Amino acid sequence: PPKSGWVRFERELPVAHRSDPLRVLVLHPSGARNGRLAVISHGLWDDPESFEGWGEFLAAAGYTVLLPIIRQ
């Protein structure tokens, strides 16, 4: 993938059936975007940071990547 880099930030999204908002780690390219979205769920026994390398790879290739932060 191109070495254009990416931007990393967190967002909180309201969800009707949850009392707490859903936190999401967002990675998106700092350069040209390809209009595609990838969602990577880490499951219940891991952290989104474990999959951040994959997200960075995809963001560098033009994808916007969402990694939900699910805490127990």
Side-chain angles (χ1 to χ4, degrees), residues 39-57:
V39 179
I40 302 172
S41 179
H42 59 81
L44 298 176
W45 295 278
D46 217 337
D47 293 318
E49 290 82 10
S50 298
F51 296 90
E52 199 166 342
W54 286 107
E56 291 169 354
F57 177 83

Side-chain angles (χ1 to χ4, degrees), residues 14-49:
V15 179
H17 66 277
R18 294 173 52 123
S19 58
D20 295 327
L22 175 64
R23 291 179 50 224
V24 179
L25 176 61
V26 181
L27 299 166
H28 71 78
S30 56
R33 300 177 190 181
N34 65 17
R36 296 184 178 176
L37 175 68
V39 179
I40 302 172
S41 179
H42 59 81
L44 298 176
W45 295 278
D46 217 337
D47 293 318
E49 290 82 10

